[in-house]
Amino acid sequence: MADIAEIQTGLAEIVEEVAGIDAAEVTPEKSFVDDLDIDSLSMVEIAVQAEDRFGVKIPDDQLAQLKNVSDAVDYIAKNQ
Amino acid sequence: MSVVLRLAESVPGARLLGLGSFQPDRVVTNDELAARVDTNDEWIRSRVGIESRRIADKDTMLVDMASDAGALAVKDSGLEPSDIGAVIVATCTMIDNIPNAAAQVAHRIGIPTPAAFDLNTACSGFAYGLAVAADLVRGGTVRHVLVIGAEKLSDWMDWDDRATCIIFADGAGAAVVGPAPDAESVGVGPVAWGSAGDQSQTIRINPDTRALHQEGQAVFRWATTRVAPVALRAVELAGLTPADIDVLVPHQANLRIVEAVAKRLHAKGARDDLRVADDIIHSGNTSSASIPLALDHMRAQGRLRSGDTMLLVGFGAGLSYAAQVVVCP
């Protein structure tokens, strides 16, 4: 089980790999769409990698609810 | 009374003997679509990877495109039309299912009395057709089979739906499959195929509009995670490893899916110089036609060489999928 800090770091690395955004930019308050300019297909790729890395399921309907980086970190922490 | 039935004499295997393709002349740019629906060139390029596509006029029918592609493949194989014993047309976009496309196409090309049937596994249709053709040849049922993927998706578009009308296009591609005289010349490997009917509703005809509808995110997730394992299975079934593959030709659904499949193959040992089909950029998604179109175009561009080991992987509505390793004719 990863703790909040580990999830935050791991998720930022995934975002960097999928979307080419510096992991340091992927801070909790950032919105995936509005701040980081990540499109819906990249969100799916991020979700798939997060599922593998953290052992969670992130269905598409849940994914749509994850607006900010912190939403995703919290969701993973609760469901891993 | 019990009898012993005689069977056709089998051959060591099948191989590709020729390729051909046809696309309508009319090029439709992203800007042209952006004039009609709320989209733009940058959005389409970044999401789907398409810069332009070919759309048939209303008088150019699916059978016309299939016949042109098929005739070119027969010519390329060095055979005469009368040498072809079976015609398979993979398609999901016939407006009327009776009569089928294959018999009409055979007649147009001048193939006298072949077995002729259509096959519908949507975007995986060419790979399915190739698998059936290879086994017909291997079993000695037919000596030469013409396999065609042909689609007129423009007949099934809602031109006001920006999620689909930017993606799909028209065209046809074909290959001739014939016998391999010995084990060393076998050029079509075993198929890895299957279906996922639990997700059948993710790509379907909307009963109200009679237009193609797809749940983009769900399909993208399936394609980026489930297709590469099928491709890798086909490599394994052929007794090879990913490092043996020279050319990867995934169904041209979306350039980002193509790239995702390639990335997973690289992670499993595919070489850095793997050539990856990107025909979608100028052809759009032509469903069952996309793999043979990509093959014919790559060959014309000098990106394929005779003897190249190529990995084909089709996937799409059904959901259905099929992959095999083939040797470039």
Side-chain angles (χ1 to χ4, degrees):
Chain A
M1 293 272 281
D3 64 26
I4 292 282
E6 286 164 346
I7 295 169
Q8 169 65 41
T9 305
L11 188 63
E13 286 168 7
I14 292 170
V15 171
E16 178 171 306
E17 199 208 318
V18 170
I21 295 161
D22 192 336
E25 296 289 315
V26 187
T27 48
E29 76 287 358
K30 293 270 177 71
S31 156
F32 288 111
V33 175
D34 298 331
D35 298 323
L36 300 175
D37 200 24
I38 294 171
D39 68 30
S40 61
L41 299 183
S42 291
M43 283 303 292
V44 172
E45 293 184 271
I46 290 165
V48 167
Q49 289 207 24
E51 288 182 349
D52 288 348
R53 183 149 173 173
F54 300 113
V56 290
K57 284 275 169 225
I58 313 175
D60 287 337
D61 54 347
Q62 285 293 332
L63 184 60
Q65 309 300 316
L66 307 177
K67 304 293 183 198
N68 295 337
V69 174
S70 60
D71 297 335
V73 171
D74 292 346
Y75 178 86
I76 292 166
K78 284 196 189 93
N79 292 280
Q80 69 180 338
Chain B
M1 192 174 94
S2 141
V3 296
V4 177
L5 299 181
R6 187 169 61 204
L7 295 174
E9 198 173 325
S10 62
V11 301
R15 59 179 176 163
L16 298 184
L17 299 175
L19 299 170
S21 68
F22 174 86
Q23 284 182 298
D25 291 335
R26 189 174 161 224
V27 176
V28 174
T29 63
N30 292 342
D31 287 340
E32 201 174 331
L33 293 173
R36 184 182 175 103
V37 294
D38 182 18
T39 188
N40 61 68
D41 180 56
E42 191 280 328
W43 194 97
I44 298 171
R45 284 176 195 244
S46 66
R47 264 48 166 214
V48 198
I50 297 172
E51 294 180 10
S52 63
R53 74 284 290 143
R54 301 294 188 96
I55 300 293
D57 58 41
K58 68 174 172 38
D59 297 326
T60 301
M61 310 309 268
L62 189 150
V63 167
D64 301 327
M65 296 190 284
S67 300
D68 284 358
L72 289 168
V74 173
K75 190 176 176 201
D76 187 54
S77 71
L79 297 168
E80 295 299 323
S82 56
D83 295 324
I84 304 295
V87 176
I88 302 172
V89 175
T91 184
C92 63
T93 49
M94 284 284 278
I95 294 286
D96 298 313
N97 278 312
I98 302 174
N100 72 10
Q104 300 177 70
V105 168
H107 177 67
R108 293 271 195 96
I109 297 174
I111 304 170
T113 56
F117 59 95
D118 294 1
L119 179 159
N120 178 0
T121 57
C123 303
S124 63
F126 183 78
Y128 262 77
L130 197 53
V132 172
D135 276 4
L136 287 174
V137 169
R138 185 184 177 203
T141 307
V142 186
R143 196 159 166 79
H144 299 109
V145 183
L146 174 60
V147 184
I148 304 170
E151 306 285 3
K152 193 178 179 190
L153 282 144
S154 58
D155 280 341
W156 298 90
M157 280 304 107
D158 174 353
W159 290 98
D160 294 320
D161 177 6
R162 65 174 182 171
T164 51
C165 77
I166 61 161
I167 298 172
F168 295 101
D170 303 332
V176 174
V177 181
D182 49 49
E184 286 69 37
S185 58
V186 169
V188 182
V191 68
W193 60 1
S195 61
D198 58 319
Q199 296 174 73
S200 62
Q201 294 305 298
T202 55
I203 310 173
R204 64 180 188 273
I205 297 298
N206 179 322
D208 299 323
T209 63
R210 301 304 296 163
L212 188 67
H213 171 81
Q214 78 168 354
E215 292 168 19
Q217 270 195 336
V219 174
F220 185 81
R221 183 189 287 248
W222 175 76
T224 52
T225 54
R226 302 288 174 222
V227 170
V230 176
L232 289 163
R233 176 72 181 142
V235 173
E236 187 185 343
L237 287 172
L240 303 177
T241 70
D244 295 315
I245 305 300
D246 300 312
V247 183
L248 171 65
V249 187
H251 161 52
Q252 302 287 292
N254 176 324
L255 196 58
R256 285 169 64 170
I257 295 173
V258 169
E259 287 166 353
V261 174
K263 191 173 166 187
R264 289 192 175 226
L265 254 64
H266 281 300
K268 297 290 182 184
R271 301 196 312 267
D272 289 343
D273 65 352
L274 177 75
R275 279 161 273 154
V276 182
D278 54 6
D279 195 54
I280 188 172
I281 296 172
H282 296 292
S283 294
N285 176 341
T286 56
S287 188
S288 70
S290 86
I291 290 175
L293 269 174
L295 291 174
D296 203 32
H297 289 166
M298 289 178 80
R299 187 177 63 167
Q301 294 156 359
R303 293 167 69 197
L304 292 187
R305 286 183 289 276
S306 181
D308 276 343
T309 303
M310 313 190 292
L311 174 57
L312 314 183
V313 52
F315 51 94
L319 300 172
S320 62
Y321 49 88
Q324 64 264 98
V325 176
V326 301
V327 176
C328 185

